[in-house]
Amino acid sequence: MKLTTKLMTSAALAMGLTGAAIAQDDPFQIGFVYVGPIGDYGWTWTHDQGRLAVEEAFGDDVETVFAESVPEGADAERVIQNMVLGGADMIFTTSFGYGEATNAVAGQFPDVYFEHATGYLREHENVSTYSARFYQGRAVIGHIAGQMTESNIVGYIASYPIPEVIRGINAAYLHAREVNPDVEFRVIWVYTWFDPAEEASAAQALIDAGADVIMQHTDSTAPQAAAQEAGNVYTFGQASDMIQFAPTPRISSIIDNWGPYYVRRVGEAMEGTWAQSDTWEGMTEGMVVIGEMTDAIPEEVRASALDLMEGMQSGTYHPFTGPINRQDGTAWLADGEVADDGTLAGMDFYVEGITGEIPN
């Protein structure tokens, strides 16, 4: 684990510091806890871009602190606590598995603001949760993938079997199947957010199984590199643009745009208007963005993908609109019925047509 600050060393934070009270004219200090390295060019990199946006927006009025590659467990609680003891006024914990640690520390420090990404636990009034409607972006790349595959096999590298990931698989599959009824999804669960070797191995296994399009819900660029080496395999950037792999294998991407949210919430905390919330924003708000579609995508496919995006941005189309059945063939959504947020937030099932089981 590495901890970096403008004015504070990692050694000082590890000691917990004494006299952590902040003088009135001191900068407002914000801590960020990351599950991966900021150089992953994926999930953590995009959150760190949000941190930099906060610095740019508020200048010398703020000071930011970050800890990278923090495991989801006891280590996270220690890191969060040490950030508070080091003077943090506000902390963003940026991975699902930090939920319990975030709330445990929040209960000890009621005057500090806590924001937990992709979580649902808000056990104290000083804890908010926030996430993006990633499934909107996955609907778009599924739509593209279904038309780009020649083998009719799309590979999907999945991290952990939590609702966020399951939603993404379902959204991508539904929209791939809509344009290609013969498409097949093959999912490999790697049980990690960031492990380049494991991700590369999963990508190669999918390629060996015939997949000529690879999607990922993991954070490194290793699947992109594996596809590039294999040739004739298309990929999509995950969380960040991963544009260094364009024009192929990366033909588009899902970009997580955290900066506006971080700037808004820090501003509210500094002004004293911050209130507990559960934020879930998507394409309409600009939190989910589709990266450049390269010329490898035929013009008619690009145009139909843009139409799909426009529908979601305007609110006239929802990716989970019936008729949709569950994997076992039982009805889930009737014709024209739209999934409610509660069901989506707790999604623990595959839709009809996806083979395999969701692991525990």
Side-chain angles (χ1 to χ4, degrees), residues 31-35 43 47 76 79-80 83 90-103 105 113-119 127-130 262:
F32 293 80
V33 182
Y34 300 145
V35 73
W43 175 262
H47 283 283
V79 168
I80 298 166
M83 278 187 172
M90 186 174 196
I91 293 179
F92 293 90
T93 56
T94 63
S95 191
F96 178 83
Y98 294 149
E100 292 185 2
T102 300
N103 280 270
V105 180
Y113 303 101
F114 293 86
E115 298 257 352
H116 177 219
T118 72
V127 179
S128 283
T129 52
Y130 63 102
Y262 286 161

PDB file of all heavy atoms in Angstrom, residues 31-35 43 47 76 79-80 83 90-103 105 113-119 127-130 262:
ATOM      1  N   GLY A  31      -9.684  12.678   1.674  1.00  0.00           N
ATOM      2  CA  GLY A  31      -8.968  11.428   1.471  1.00  0.00           C
ATOM      3  C   GLY A  31      -9.684  10.531   0.476  1.00  0.00           C
ATOM      4  O   GLY A  31     -10.911  10.502   0.420  1.00  0.00           O
ATOM      5  N   PHE A  32      -8.899   9.803  -0.312  1.00  0.00           N
ATOM      6  CA  PHE A  32      -9.428   8.840  -1.279  1.00  0.00           C
ATOM      7  C   PHE A  32      -8.766   7.490  -1.027  1.00  0.00           C
ATOM      8  O   PHE A  32      -7.530   7.413  -0.955  1.00  0.00           O
ATOM      9  CB  PHE A  32      -9.134   9.287  -2.715  1.00  0.00           C
ATOM     10  CG  PHE A  32      -9.860  10.540  -3.135  1.00  0.00           C
ATOM     11  CD1 PHE A  32      -9.387  11.793  -2.760  1.00  0.00           C
ATOM     12  CD2 PHE A  32     -11.015  10.461  -3.891  1.00  0.00           C
ATOM     13  CE1 PHE A  32     -10.051  12.949  -3.147  1.00  0.00           C
ATOM     14  CE2 PHE A  32     -11.693  11.611  -4.278  1.00  0.00           C
ATOM     15  CZ  PHE A  32     -11.205  12.862  -3.903  1.00  0.00           C
ATOM     16  N   VAL A  33      -9.586   6.451  -0.897  1.00  0.00           N
ATOM     17  CA  VAL A  33      -9.076   5.102  -0.671  1.00  0.00           C
ATOM     18  C   VAL A  33      -9.349   4.281  -1.926  1.00  0.00           C
ATOM     19  O   VAL A  33     -10.493   4.145  -2.351  1.00  0.00           O
ATOM     20  CB  VAL A  33      -9.745   4.444   0.555  1.00  0.00           C
ATOM     21  CG1 VAL A  33      -9.153   3.061   0.807  1.00  0.00           C
ATOM     22  CG2 VAL A  33      -9.557   5.327   1.794  1.00  0.00           C
ATOM     23  N   TYR A  34      -8.279   3.737  -2.508  1.00  0.00           N
ATOM     24  CA  TYR A  34      -8.352   3.057  -3.794  1.00  0.00           C
ATOM     25  C   TYR A  34      -8.056   1.565  -3.650  1.00  0.00           C
ATOM     26  O   TYR A  34      -7.122   1.170  -2.950  1.00  0.00           O
ATOM     27  CB  TYR A  34      -7.340   3.643  -4.771  1.00  0.00           C
ATOM     28  CG  TYR A  34      -7.510   5.110  -5.081  1.00  0.00           C
ATOM     29  CD1 TYR A  34      -6.387   5.927  -5.301  1.00  0.00           C
ATOM     30  CD2 TYR A  34      -8.767   5.705  -5.178  1.00  0.00           C
ATOM     31  CE1 TYR A  34      -6.523   7.270  -5.618  1.00  0.00           C
ATOM     32  CE2 TYR A  34      -8.911   7.050  -5.482  1.00  0.00           C
ATOM     33  CZ  TYR A  34      -7.776   7.830  -5.703  1.00  0.00           C
ATOM     34  OH  TYR A  34      -7.919   9.153  -6.008  1.00  0.00           O
ATOM     35  N   VAL A  35      -8.792   0.747  -4.390  1.00  0.00           N
ATOM     36  CA  VAL A  35      -8.601  -0.696  -4.334  1.00  0.00           C
ATOM     37  C   VAL A  35      -7.452  -1.165  -5.230  1.00  0.00           C
ATOM     38  O   VAL A  35      -6.920  -2.249  -5.056  1.00  0.00           O
ATOM     39  CB  VAL A  35      -9.912  -1.418  -4.715  1.00  0.00           C
ATOM     40  CG1 VAL A  35     -10.191  -1.321  -6.209  1.00  0.00           C
ATOM     41  CG2 VAL A  35      -9.909  -2.870  -4.246  1.00  0.00           C
ATOM     42  N   TRP A  43     -10.321   1.533 -13.370  1.00  0.00           N
ATOM     43  CA  TRP A  43     -11.185   2.017 -12.293  1.00  0.00           C
ATOM     44  C   TRP A  43     -10.499   3.020 -11.371  1.00  0.00           C
ATOM     45  O   TRP A  43     -10.996   4.131 -11.145  1.00  0.00           O
ATOM     46  CB  TRP A  43     -11.678   0.813 -11.494  1.00  0.00           C
ATOM     47  CG  TRP A  43     -12.491   1.123 -10.288  1.00  0.00           C
ATOM     48  CD1 TRP A  43     -12.044   1.180  -9.000  1.00  0.00           C
ATOM     49  CD2 TRP A  43     -13.896   1.404 -10.239  1.00  0.00           C
ATOM     50  NE1 TRP A  43     -13.085   1.479  -8.141  1.00  0.00           N
ATOM     51  CE2 TRP A  43     -14.236   1.619  -8.883  1.00  0.00           C
ATOM     52  CE3 TRP A  43     -14.892   1.477 -11.209  1.00  0.00           C
ATOM     53  CZ2 TRP A  43     -15.521   1.907  -8.473  1.00  0.00           C
ATOM     54  CZ3 TRP A  43     -16.189   1.772 -10.805  1.00  0.00           C
ATOM     55  CH2 TRP A  43     -16.492   1.985  -9.452  1.00  0.00           C
ATOM     56  N   HIS A  47     -10.955   7.305 -10.786  1.00  0.00           N
ATOM     57  CA  HIS A  47     -11.241   7.968  -9.511  1.00  0.00           C
ATOM     58  C   HIS A  47     -10.165   8.991  -9.184  1.00  0.00           C
ATOM     59  O   HIS A  47     -10.453  10.067  -8.642  1.00  0.00           O
ATOM     60  CB  HIS A  47     -11.353   6.935  -8.381  1.00  0.00           C
ATOM     61  CG  HIS A  47     -12.647   6.196  -8.377  1.00  0.00           C
ATOM     62  ND1 HIS A  47     -13.819   6.752  -7.914  1.00  0.00           N
ATOM     63  CD2 HIS A  47     -12.965   4.940  -8.787  1.00  0.00           C
ATOM     64  CE1 HIS A  47     -14.808   5.870  -8.033  1.00  0.00           C
ATOM     65  NE2 HIS A  47     -14.309   4.769  -8.565  1.00  0.00           N
ATOM     66  N   ALA A  76      -8.449  -1.870   5.208  1.00  0.00           N
ATOM     67  CA  ALA A  76      -9.180  -0.683   4.783  1.00  0.00           C
ATOM     68  C   ALA A  76      -9.618   0.148   5.976  1.00  0.00           C
ATOM     69  O   ALA A  76      -9.494   1.381   5.964  1.00  0.00           O
ATOM     70  CB  ALA A  76     -10.390  -1.084   3.942  1.00  0.00           C
ATOM     71  N   VAL A  79      -6.654   2.052   7.326  1.00  0.00           N
ATOM     72  CA  VAL A  79      -6.250   3.154   6.455  1.00  0.00           C
ATOM     73  C   VAL A  79      -7.225   4.324   6.580  1.00  0.00           C
ATOM     74  O   VAL A  79      -6.809   5.484   6.686  1.00  0.00           O
ATOM     75  CB  VAL A  79      -6.154   2.671   4.984  1.00  0.00           C
ATOM     76  CG1 VAL A  79      -6.015   3.853   4.030  1.00  0.00           C
ATOM     77  CG2 VAL A  79      -4.973   1.722   4.813  1.00  0.00           C
ATOM     78  N   ILE A  80      -8.513   4.026   6.568  1.00  0.00           N
ATOM     79  CA  ILE A  80      -9.513   5.090   6.692  1.00  0.00           C
ATOM     80  C   ILE A  80      -9.368   5.816   8.027  1.00  0.00           C
ATOM     81  O   ILE A  80      -9.398   7.055   8.096  1.00  0.00           O
ATOM     82  CB  ILE A  80     -10.939   4.510   6.547  1.00  0.00           C
ATOM     83  CG1 ILE A  80     -11.127   3.888   5.162  1.00  0.00           C
ATOM     84  CG2 ILE A  80     -11.989   5.598   6.762  1.00  0.00           C
ATOM     85  CD1 ILE A  80     -12.362   2.995   5.049  1.00  0.00           C
ATOM     86  N   MET A  83      -6.395   8.082   8.077  1.00  0.00           N
ATOM     87  CA  MET A  83      -6.638   9.300   7.302  1.00  0.00           C
ATOM     88  C   MET A  83      -7.364  10.338   8.149  1.00  0.00           C
ATOM     89  O   MET A  83      -7.034  11.531   8.120  1.00  0.00           O
ATOM     90  CB  MET A  83      -7.463   8.987   6.053  1.00  0.00           C
ATOM     91  CG  MET A  83      -6.667   8.454   4.886  1.00  0.00           C
ATOM     92  SD  MET A  83      -7.719   8.318   3.407  1.00  0.00           S
ATOM     93  CE  MET A  83      -6.469   7.900   2.183  1.00  0.00           C
ATOM     94  N   MET A  90     -13.039  14.784   4.953  1.00  0.00           N
ATOM     95  CA  MET A  90     -13.963  14.071   4.080  1.00  0.00           C
ATOM     96  C   MET A  90     -13.207  12.923   3.421  1.00  0.00           C
ATOM     97  O   MET A  90     -12.030  13.082   3.056  1.00  0.00           O
ATOM     98  CB  MET A  90     -14.510  15.020   3.012  1.00  0.00           C
ATOM     99  CG  MET A  90     -15.581  14.449   2.114  1.00  0.00           C
ATOM    100  SD  MET A  90     -16.254  15.750   1.003  1.00  0.00           S
ATOM    101  CE  MET A  90     -17.757  14.951   0.457  1.00  0.00           C
ATOM    102  N   ILE A  91     -13.858  11.766   3.296  1.00  0.00           N
ATOM    103  CA  ILE A  91     -13.189  10.603   2.721  1.00  0.00           C
ATOM    104  C   ILE A  91     -14.103   9.918   1.717  1.00  0.00           C
ATOM    105  O   ILE A  91     -15.284   9.672   1.995  1.00  0.00           O
ATOM    106  CB  ILE A  91     -12.762   9.607   3.819  1.00  0.00           C
ATOM    107  CG1 ILE A  91     -11.666  10.230   4.694  1.00  0.00           C
ATOM    108  CG2 ILE A  91     -12.272   8.296   3.211  1.00  0.00           C
ATOM    109  CD1 ILE A  91     -11.191   9.350   5.827  1.00  0.00           C
ATOM    110  N   PHE A  92     -13.541   9.609   0.554  1.00  0.00           N
ATOM    111  CA  PHE A  92     -14.214   8.819  -0.465  1.00  0.00           C
ATOM    112  C   PHE A  92     -13.563   7.437  -0.501  1.00  0.00           C
ATOM    113  O   PHE A  92     -12.356   7.319  -0.726  1.00  0.00           O
ATOM    114  CB  PHE A  92     -14.074   9.470  -1.845  1.00  0.00           C
ATOM    115  CG  PHE A  92     -14.798  10.772  -1.992  1.00  0.00           C
ATOM    116  CD1 PHE A  92     -14.166  11.976  -1.694  1.00  0.00           C
ATOM    117  CD2 PHE A  92     -16.114  10.807  -2.435  1.00  0.00           C
ATOM    118  CE1 PHE A  92     -14.831  13.189  -1.836  1.00  0.00           C
ATOM    119  CE2 PHE A  92     -16.796  12.014  -2.584  1.00  0.00           C
ATOM    120  CZ  PHE A  92     -16.147  13.210  -2.273  1.00  0.00           C
ATOM    121  N   THR A  93     -14.361   6.402  -0.239  1.00  0.00           N
ATOM    122  CA  THR A  93     -13.856   5.028  -0.328  1.00  0.00           C
ATOM    123  C   THR A  93     -14.432   4.419  -1.597  1.00  0.00           C
ATOM    124  O   THR A  93     -15.641   4.348  -1.766  1.00  0.00           O
ATOM    125  CB  THR A  93     -14.251   4.218   0.920  1.00  0.00           C
ATOM    126  OG1 THR A  93     -15.675   4.248   1.095  1.00  0.00           O
ATOM    127  CG2 THR A  93     -13.586   4.798   2.162  1.00  0.00           C
ATOM    128  N   THR A  94     -13.573   3.951  -2.485  1.00  0.00           N
ATOM    129  CA  THR A  94     -13.977   3.789  -3.876  1.00  0.00           C
ATOM    130  C   THR A  94     -14.117   2.346  -4.345  1.00  0.00           C
ATOM    131  O   THR A  94     -13.923   2.058  -5.533  1.00  0.00           O
ATOM    132  CB  THR A  94     -12.986   4.529  -4.795  1.00  0.00           C
ATOM    133  OG1 THR A  94     -11.688   3.930  -4.656  1.00  0.00           O
ATOM    134  CG2 THR A  94     -12.913   6.001  -4.440  1.00  0.00           C
ATOM    135  N   SER A  95     -14.492   1.435  -3.458  1.00  0.00           N
ATOM    136  CA  SER A  95     -14.759   0.067  -3.902  1.00  0.00           C
ATOM    137  C   SER A  95     -15.847  -0.546  -3.032  1.00  0.00           C
ATOM    138  O   SER A  95     -15.977  -0.223  -1.842  1.00  0.00           O
ATOM    139  CB  SER A  95     -13.490  -0.784  -3.839  1.00  0.00           C
ATOM    140  OG  SER A  95     -13.680  -2.022  -4.497  1.00  0.00           O
ATOM    141  N   PHE A  96     -16.618  -1.445  -3.626  1.00  0.00           N
ATOM    142  CA  PHE A  96     -17.772  -2.062  -2.968  1.00  0.00           C
ATOM    143  C   PHE A  96     -17.401  -2.670  -1.620  1.00  0.00           C
ATOM    144  O   PHE A  96     -18.137  -2.533  -0.635  1.00  0.00           O
ATOM    145  CB  PHE A  96     -18.349  -3.135  -3.891  1.00  0.00           C
ATOM    146  CG  PHE A  96     -19.521  -3.890  -3.305  1.00  0.00           C
ATOM    147  CD1 PHE A  96     -20.795  -3.369  -3.360  1.00  0.00           C
ATOM    148  CD2 PHE A  96     -19.333  -5.131  -2.712  1.00  0.00           C
ATOM    149  CE1 PHE A  96     -21.877  -4.056  -2.826  1.00  0.00           C
ATOM    150  CE2 PHE A  96     -20.406  -5.829  -2.169  1.00  0.00           C
ATOM    151  CZ  PHE A  96     -21.680  -5.283  -2.227  1.00  0.00           C
ATOM    152  N   GLY A  97     -16.263  -3.350  -1.562  1.00  0.00           N
ATOM    153  CA  GLY A  97     -15.887  -4.065  -0.349  1.00  0.00           C
ATOM    154  C   GLY A  97     -15.463  -3.202   0.817  1.00  0.00           C
ATOM    155  O   GLY A  97     -15.144  -3.727   1.891  1.00  0.00           O
ATOM    156  N   TYR A  98     -15.457  -1.894   0.641  1.00  0.00           N
ATOM    157  CA  TYR A  98     -15.100  -0.984   1.736  1.00  0.00           C
ATOM    158  C   TYR A  98     -16.303  -0.569   2.583  1.00  0.00           C
ATOM    159  O   TYR A  98     -16.174   0.260   3.487  1.00  0.00           O
ATOM    160  CB  TYR A  98     -14.452   0.292   1.185  1.00  0.00           C
ATOM    161  CG  TYR A  98     -13.119   0.115   0.513  1.00  0.00           C
ATOM    162  CD1 TYR A  98     -12.738   0.954  -0.532  1.00  0.00           C
ATOM    163  CD2 TYR A  98     -12.219  -0.865   0.913  1.00  0.00           C
ATOM    164  CE1 TYR A  98     -11.507   0.819  -1.161  1.00  0.00           C
ATOM    165  CE2 TYR A  98     -10.989  -1.014   0.299  1.00  0.00           C
ATOM    166  CZ  TYR A  98     -10.636  -0.165  -0.744  1.00  0.00           C
ATOM    167  OH  TYR A  98      -9.417  -0.300  -1.369  1.00  0.00           O
ATOM    168  N   GLY A  99     -17.465  -1.114   2.292  1.00  0.00           N
ATOM    169  CA  GLY A  99     -18.676  -0.641   2.951  1.00  0.00           C
ATOM    170  C   GLY A  99     -18.648  -0.752   4.466  1.00  0.00           C
ATOM    171  O   GLY A  99     -18.941   0.215   5.185  1.00  0.00           O
ATOM    172  N   GLU A 100     -18.330  -1.929   4.973  1.00  0.00           N
ATOM    173  CA  GLU A 100     -18.331  -2.119   6.425  1.00  0.00           C
ATOM    174  C   GLU A 100     -17.248  -1.287   7.092  1.00  0.00           C
ATOM    175  O   GLU A 100     -17.475  -0.689   8.153  1.00  0.00           O
ATOM    176  CB  GLU A 100     -18.153  -3.605   6.746  1.00  0.00           C
ATOM    177  CG  GLU A 100     -19.346  -4.458   6.339  1.00  0.00           C
ATOM    178  CD  GLU A 100     -19.201  -5.907   6.773  1.00  0.00           C
ATOM    179  OE1 GLU A 100     -18.186  -6.241   7.417  1.00  0.00           O
ATOM    180  OE2 GLU A 100     -20.108  -6.713   6.464  1.00  0.00           O
ATOM    181  N   ALA A 101     -16.075  -1.225   6.494  1.00  0.00           N
ATOM    182  CA  ALA A 101     -14.981  -0.436   7.070  1.00  0.00           C
ATOM    183  C   ALA A 101     -15.344   1.047   7.099  1.00  0.00           C
ATOM    184  O   ALA A 101     -15.082   1.752   8.091  1.00  0.00           O
ATOM    185  CB  ALA A 101     -13.706  -0.665   6.277  1.00  0.00           C
ATOM    186  N   THR A 102     -15.963   1.518   6.028  1.00  0.00           N
ATOM    187  CA  THR A 102     -16.348   2.926   5.959  1.00  0.00           C
ATOM    188  C   THR A 102     -17.319   3.274   7.077  1.00  0.00           C
ATOM    189  O   THR A 102     -17.159   4.286   7.779  1.00  0.00           O
ATOM    190  CB  THR A 102     -16.991   3.231   4.598  1.00  0.00           C
ATOM    191  OG1 THR A 102     -16.058   2.948   3.554  1.00  0.00           O
ATOM    192  CG2 THR A 102     -17.423   4.691   4.510  1.00  0.00           C
ATOM    193  N   ASN A 103     -18.320   2.441   7.267  1.00  0.00           N
ATOM    194  CA  ASN A 103     -19.321   2.724   8.291  1.00  0.00           C
ATOM    195  C   ASN A 103     -18.761   2.559   9.702  1.00  0.00           C
ATOM    196  O   ASN A 103     -19.173   3.282  10.612  1.00  0.00           O
ATOM    197  CB  ASN A 103     -20.543   1.836   8.077  1.00  0.00           C
ATOM    198  CG  ASN A 103     -21.454   2.363   6.985  1.00  0.00           C
ATOM    199  OD1 ASN A 103     -22.367   3.137   7.237  1.00  0.00           O
ATOM    200  ND2 ASN A 103     -21.198   1.950   5.742  1.00  0.00           N
ATOM    201  N   VAL A 105     -15.711   3.268  10.696  1.00  0.00           N
ATOM    202  CA  VAL A 105     -14.943   4.472  11.033  1.00  0.00           C
ATOM    203  C   VAL A 105     -15.866   5.680  11.134  1.00  0.00           C
ATOM    204  O   VAL A 105     -15.684   6.546  11.994  1.00  0.00           O
ATOM    205  CB  VAL A 105     -13.829   4.704   9.996  1.00  0.00           C
ATOM    206  CG1 VAL A 105     -13.036   5.970  10.345  1.00  0.00           C
ATOM    207  CG2 VAL A 105     -12.896   3.506   9.923  1.00  0.00           C
ATOM    208  N   TYR A 113     -17.121  13.695   6.899  1.00  0.00           N
ATOM    209  CA  TYR A 113     -18.007  13.246   5.826  1.00  0.00           C
ATOM    210  C   TYR A 113     -17.402  12.000   5.164  1.00  0.00           C
ATOM    211  O   TYR A 113     -16.214  11.973   4.830  1.00  0.00           O
ATOM    212  CB  TYR A 113     -18.161  14.329   4.758  1.00  0.00           C
ATOM    213  CG  TYR A 113     -18.677  15.645   5.280  1.00  0.00           C
ATOM    214  CD1 TYR A 113     -17.811  16.713   5.520  1.00  0.00           C
ATOM    215  CD2 TYR A 113     -20.042  15.842   5.507  1.00  0.00           C
ATOM    216  CE1 TYR A 113     -18.283  17.931   5.976  1.00  0.00           C
ATOM    217  CE2 TYR A 113     -20.523  17.059   5.965  1.00  0.00           C
ATOM    218  CZ  TYR A 113     -19.630  18.097   6.204  1.00  0.00           C
ATOM    219  OH  TYR A 113     -20.100  19.307   6.663  1.00  0.00           O
ATOM    220  N   PHE A 114     -18.249  11.001   4.941  1.00  0.00           N
ATOM    221  CA  PHE A 114     -17.809   9.772   4.278  1.00  0.00           C
ATOM    222  C   PHE A 114     -18.685   9.498   3.064  1.00  0.00           C
ATOM    223  O   PHE A 114     -19.915   9.614   3.130  1.00  0.00           O
ATOM    224  CB  PHE A 114     -17.884   8.578   5.234  1.00  0.00           C
ATOM    225  CG  PHE A 114     -16.907   8.646   6.372  1.00  0.00           C
ATOM    226  CD1 PHE A 114     -17.228   9.338   7.532  1.00  0.00           C
ATOM    227  CD2 PHE A 114     -15.674   8.032   6.287  1.00  0.00           C
ATOM    228  CE1 PHE A 114     -16.329   9.411   8.584  1.00  0.00           C
ATOM    229  CE2 PHE A 114     -14.772   8.093   7.329  1.00  0.00           C
ATOM    230  CZ  PHE A 114     -15.092   8.789   8.485  1.00  0.00           C
ATOM    231  N   GLU A 115     -18.054   9.120   1.961  1.00  0.00           N
ATOM    232  CA  GLU A 115     -18.752   8.773   0.732  1.00  0.00           C
ATOM    233  C   GLU A 115     -18.222   7.420   0.254  1.00  0.00           C
ATOM    234  O   GLU A 115     -17.006   7.253   0.076  1.00  0.00           O
ATOM    235  CB  GLU A 115     -18.503   9.835  -0.350  1.00  0.00           C
ATOM    236  CG  GLU A 115     -19.015  11.222   0.004  1.00  0.00           C
ATOM    237  CD  GLU A 115     -20.310  11.570  -0.715  1.00  0.00           C
ATOM    238  OE1 GLU A 115     -20.719  10.781  -1.599  1.00  0.00           O
ATOM    239  OE2 GLU A 115     -20.894  12.625  -0.407  1.00  0.00           O
ATOM    240  N   HIS A 116     -19.138   6.462   0.048  1.00  0.00           N
ATOM    241  CA  HIS A 116     -18.730   5.105  -0.337  1.00  0.00           C
ATOM    242  C   HIS A 116     -19.243   4.785  -1.735  1.00  0.00           C
ATOM    243  O   HIS A 116     -20.445   4.828  -1.990  1.00  0.00           O
ATOM    244  CB  HIS A 116     -19.266   4.089   0.674  1.00  0.00           C
ATOM    245  CG  HIS A 116     -18.948   2.677   0.308  1.00  0.00           C
ATOM    246  ND1 HIS A 116     -19.837   1.637   0.482  1.00  0.00           N
ATOM    247  CD2 HIS A 116     -17.839   2.118  -0.245  1.00  0.00           C
ATOM    248  CE1 HIS A 116     -19.285   0.522   0.067  1.00  0.00           C
ATOM    249  NE2 HIS A 116     -18.079   0.784  -0.391  1.00  0.00           N
ATOM    250  N   ALA A 117     -18.319   4.448  -2.633  1.00  0.00           N
ATOM    251  CA  ALA A 117     -18.678   4.161  -4.023  1.00  0.00           C
ATOM    252  C   ALA A 117     -19.223   2.752  -4.189  1.00  0.00           C
ATOM    253  O   ALA A 117     -18.662   1.794  -3.659  1.00  0.00           O
ATOM    254  CB  ALA A 117     -17.460   4.341  -4.930  1.00  0.00           C
ATOM    255  N   THR A 118     -20.308   2.635  -4.922  1.00  0.00           N
ATOM    256  CA  THR A 118     -20.977   1.396  -5.349  1.00  0.00           C
ATOM    257  C   THR A 118     -21.557   0.600  -4.189  1.00  0.00           C
ATOM    258  O   THR A 118     -21.936  -0.551  -4.365  1.00  0.00           O
ATOM    259  CB  THR A 118     -20.040   0.477  -6.186  1.00  0.00           C
ATOM    260  OG1 THR A 118     -19.056  -0.124  -5.351  1.00  0.00           O
ATOM    261  CG2 THR A 118     -19.379   1.259  -7.313  1.00  0.00           C
ATOM    262  N   GLY A 119     -21.649   1.200  -3.024  1.00  0.00           N
ATOM    263  CA  GLY A 119     -22.157   0.476  -1.861  1.00  0.00           C
ATOM    264  C   GLY A 119     -23.596   0.811  -1.534  1.00  0.00           C
ATOM    265  O   GLY A 119     -24.273   1.554  -2.251  1.00  0.00           O
ATOM    266  N   VAL A 127     -22.628   9.287   6.354  1.00  0.00           N
ATOM    267  CA  VAL A 127     -22.230   8.388   5.266  1.00  0.00           C
ATOM    268  C   VAL A 127     -23.213   8.507   4.112  1.00  0.00           C
ATOM    269  O   VAL A 127     -24.423   8.389   4.299  1.00  0.00           O
ATOM    270  CB  VAL A 127     -22.174   6.922   5.735  1.00  0.00           C
ATOM    271  CG1 VAL A 127     -21.776   6.012   4.567  1.00  0.00           C
ATOM    272  CG2 VAL A 127     -21.203   6.750   6.892  1.00  0.00           C
ATOM    273  N   SER A 128     -22.670   8.731   2.910  1.00  0.00           N
ATOM    274  CA  SER A 128     -23.463   8.688   1.684  1.00  0.00           C
ATOM    275  C   SER A 128     -22.902   7.613   0.765  1.00  0.00           C
ATOM    276  O   SER A 128     -21.750   7.192   0.907  1.00  0.00           O
ATOM    277  CB  SER A 128     -23.433  10.046   0.961  1.00  0.00           C
ATOM    278  OG  SER A 128     -24.284  10.977   1.590  1.00  0.00           O
ATOM    279  N   THR A 129     -23.713   7.175  -0.164  1.00  0.00           N
ATOM    280  CA  THR A 129     -23.274   6.202  -1.157  1.00  0.00           C
ATOM    281  C   THR A 129     -23.491   6.789  -2.552  1.00  0.00           C
ATOM    282  O   THR A 129     -24.373   7.622  -2.760  1.00  0.00           O
ATOM    283  CB  THR A 129     -24.038   4.878  -1.028  1.00  0.00           C
ATOM    284  OG1 THR A 129     -25.451   5.144  -1.036  1.00  0.00           O
ATOM    285  CG2 THR A 129     -23.675   4.157   0.254  1.00  0.00           C
ATOM    286  N   TYR A 130     -22.681   6.332  -3.485  1.00  0.00           N
ATOM    287  CA  TYR A 130     -22.810   6.831  -4.855  1.00  0.00           C
ATOM    288  C   TYR A 130     -22.337   5.757  -5.824  1.00  0.00           C
ATOM    289  O   TYR A 130     -21.455   4.956  -5.516  1.00  0.00           O
ATOM    290  CB  TYR A 130     -22.003   8.116  -5.060  1.00  0.00           C
ATOM    291  CG  TYR A 130     -20.505   7.963  -4.886  1.00  0.00           C
ATOM    292  CD1 TYR A 130     -19.649   7.873  -5.993  1.00  0.00           C
ATOM    293  CD2 TYR A 130     -19.919   7.913  -3.614  1.00  0.00           C
ATOM    294  CE1 TYR A 130     -18.286   7.736  -5.845  1.00  0.00           C
ATOM    295  CE2 TYR A 130     -18.552   7.781  -3.457  1.00  0.00           C
ATOM    296  CZ  TYR A 130     -17.735   7.693  -4.569  1.00  0.00           C
ATOM    297  OH  TYR A 130     -16.370   7.553  -4.410  1.00  0.00           O
ATOM    298  N   TYR A 262     -17.437  14.460  -7.571  1.00  0.00           N
ATOM    299  CA  TYR A 262     -16.507  14.770  -6.482  1.00  0.00           C
ATOM    300  C   TYR A 262     -16.443  16.273  -6.220  1.00  0.00           C
ATOM    301  O   TYR A 262     -16.442  16.718  -5.068  1.00  0.00           O
ATOM    302  CB  TYR A 262     -15.122  14.223  -6.806  1.00  0.00           C
ATOM    303  CG  TYR A 262     -15.005  12.720  -6.665  1.00  0.00           C
ATOM    304  CD1 TYR A 262     -13.964  12.010  -7.270  1.00  0.00           C
ATOM    305  CD2 TYR A 262     -15.936  12.000  -5.930  1.00  0.00           C
ATOM    306  CE1 TYR A 262     -13.855  10.638  -7.132  1.00  0.00           C
ATOM    307  CE2 TYR A 262     -15.844  10.631  -5.789  1.00  0.00           C
ATOM    308  CZ  TYR A 262     -14.801   9.957  -6.397  1.00  0.00           C
ATOM    309  OH  TYR A 262     -14.706   8.594  -6.259  1.00  0.00           O
TER     310      TYR A 262
END
